[in-house]
């Protein structure tokens, strides 16, 4: 839900209010519960872990879940929003299935869909940003297999060896100092051209630059053209 809410927001305006509300709701039941982002080797994140609800904490949470559903049903007929038809599959699973899973498998982490969601994000990003969008199904399967095979691999930085240290320390400066300054040549040619132009020719050049003027003085037109050309060069830089 937070992902959809933050989709069209600036990074500075994004929040995890639904995620935080879920954590506070579980903590309000009197149990110790928290969620954090796991940082893997290389500083990569994106995978979350949560407090394992086992032992007494687990029993307290499950008992409160049962009492919560019973209270929900007791309000039937007293409030239109508390009807048996409004019992969701999540509420049913929490009361009738989660306790058995906790007893048999000592937790519910293996039933989480976080890995599938992460794979879906990777496939969606690759499909939208790095593929030709011709065969979406093939792209998804290829990305899934690629992630599976490369999950334990790390990219090694390619070593770079300077073969000619003298060139990078001094020779490159000498080589660049001998190059002809093209901008200086252009400025000189521009000055000569401007001095030879007539008033009508200058107005045509100003019009090409997007400058409209009612000036008639040749000197003022030359000055305006020089300023316009200078501004254009500065903008290009």
């Amino acid at each position: 839900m937070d992902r959809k809410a933050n989709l069209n927001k600036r990074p500075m305006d994004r929040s995890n209010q639904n995620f935080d509300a879920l954590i506070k709701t579980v903590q309000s039941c009197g149990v110790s519960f928290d969620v954090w982002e796991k940082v893997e080797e290389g500083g990569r994140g994106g995978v979350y872990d949560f407090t394992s609800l086992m032992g007494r904490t687990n029993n307290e949470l499950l008992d409160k879940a049962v009492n919560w559903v019973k209270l929900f049903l007791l309000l039937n007929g007293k409030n239109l929003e508390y009807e048996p038809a409004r019992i969701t599959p999540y509420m049913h699973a929490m009361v009738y299935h989660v306790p058995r899973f906790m007893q048999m498998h000592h937790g519910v982490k293996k039933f989480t869909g976080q890995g599938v969601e992460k794979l879906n994000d990777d496939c969606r990003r690759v499909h939208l940003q790095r593929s030709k969008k011709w065969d979406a199904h093939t792209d998804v399967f290829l990305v899934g297999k690629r992630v599976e095979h490369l999950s334990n691999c790390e990219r090694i930085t390619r070593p770079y060896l300077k073969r000619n240290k003298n060139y990078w320390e001094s020779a490159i400066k000498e080589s660049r100092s001998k190059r002809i300054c093209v901008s200086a040549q252009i400025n000189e040619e521009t000055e000569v051209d401007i001095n030879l132009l007539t008033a009508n020719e200058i107005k045509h050049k100003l019009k090409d630059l997007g400058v409209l003027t009612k000036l008639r003085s040749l000197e003022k037109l030359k000055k305006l053209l020089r300023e316009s050309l200078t501004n254009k060069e500065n903008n290009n830089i």
Side-chain angles (χ1 to χ4, degrees):
M1 294 179 67
D2 288 324
R3 186 177 303 169
K4 292 182 179 179
N6 295 329
L7 186 61
N8 296 322
K9 293 183 179 180
R10 298 178 299 175
M12 61 181 299
D13 296 332
R14 295 172 184 172
S15 63
N16 296 323
Q17 56 182 2
N18 295 307
F19 187 69
D20 296 337
L22 173 62
I23 297 176
K24 290 181 180 179
T25 301
V26 177
Q27 292 176 346
S28 65
C29 297
V31 299
S32 177
F33 179 77
D34 201 0
V35 180
W36 62 91
E37 184 176 4
K38 295 173 60 177
V39 180
E40 302 177 356
E41 295 182 3
R44 295 182 301 176
V47 179
Y48 292 86
D49 201 355
F50 55 90
T51 307
S52 178
L53 301 175
M54 298 299 295
R56 185 175 62 85
T57 302
N58 172 34
N59 295 331
E60 290 178 358
L61 180 61
L62 295 177
D63 291 340
K64 290 188 177 184
V66 174
N67 294 332
W68 172 59
V69 174
K70 289 181 178 179
L71 178 61
F72 187 95
L73 295 175
L74 286 175
L75 295 175
N76 181 30
K78 300 178 182 179
N79 194 313
L80 295 177
E81 297 181 357
Y82 296 89
E83 302 171 351
R86 292 184 178 271
I87 295 291
T88 66
Y90 292 104
M91 298 166 65
H92 169 80
M94 186 67 182
V95 175
Y96 291 100
H97 300 291
V98 171
R100 184 164 59 91
F101 290 161
M102 298 289 289
Q103 183 179 5
M104 294 175 59
H105 304 285
H106 306 287
V108 293
K109 286 187 177 181
K110 61 178 63 179
F111 300 102
T112 179
Q114 185 176 349
V116 178
E117 293 294 336
K118 178 64 176 175
L119 177 60
N120 178 66
D121 292 341
D122 293 338
C123 294
R124 185 171 181 271
R125 183 174 64 254
V126 171
H127 173 66
L128 294 178
Q129 299 178 0
R130 303 177 186 176
S131 71
K132 296 181 180 179
K133 305 176 183 60
W134 180 258
D135 189 356
H137 303 86
T138 303
D139 289 341
V140 170
F141 284 116
L142 289 177
V143 171
K145 281 298 180 182
R146 190 181 304 120
V147 172
E148 179 182 347
H149 287 296
L150 301 178
S151 59
N152 297 324
C153 299
E154 290 290 340
R155 184 175 181 179
I156 301 176
T157 304
R158 180 180 177 183
Y160 176 73
L161 179 63
K162 293 183 179 180
R163 300 185 180 278
N164 189 355
K165 294 184 178 180
N166 182 44
Y167 173 79
W168 295 105
E169 293 176 358
S170 58
I172 187 173
K173 297 179 181 179
E174 296 177 1
S175 175
R176 290 180 177 178
S177 63
K178 295 178 181 179
R179 295 178 183 176
I180 300 175
C181 185
V182 179
S183 60
Q185 287 184 337
I186 294 175
N187 290 335
E188 292 177 0
E189 293 176 359
T190 304
E191 290 291 337
V192 174
D193 291 340
I194 292 176
N195 291 330
L196 297 177
L197 293 176
T198 63
N200 289 332
E201 291 174 340
I202 293 177
K203 286 186 177 181
H204 283 299
K205 287 188 174 294
L206 288 172
K207 186 176 180 180
D208 294 337
L209 295 173
V211 179
L212 300 178
T213 179
K214 295 182 179 180
L215 295 176
R216 295 184 179 181
S217 172
L218 182 60
E219 294 300 325
K220 291 182 179 180
L221 288 171
K222 290 180 180 179
K223 181 179 179 181
L224 180 59
L225 180 57
R226 292 191 184 97
E227 293 176 353
S228 301
L229 292 173
T230 302
N231 293 334
K232 182 180 179 181
E233 291 178 3
N234 293 335
N235 292 334
N236 292 334
I237 294 174

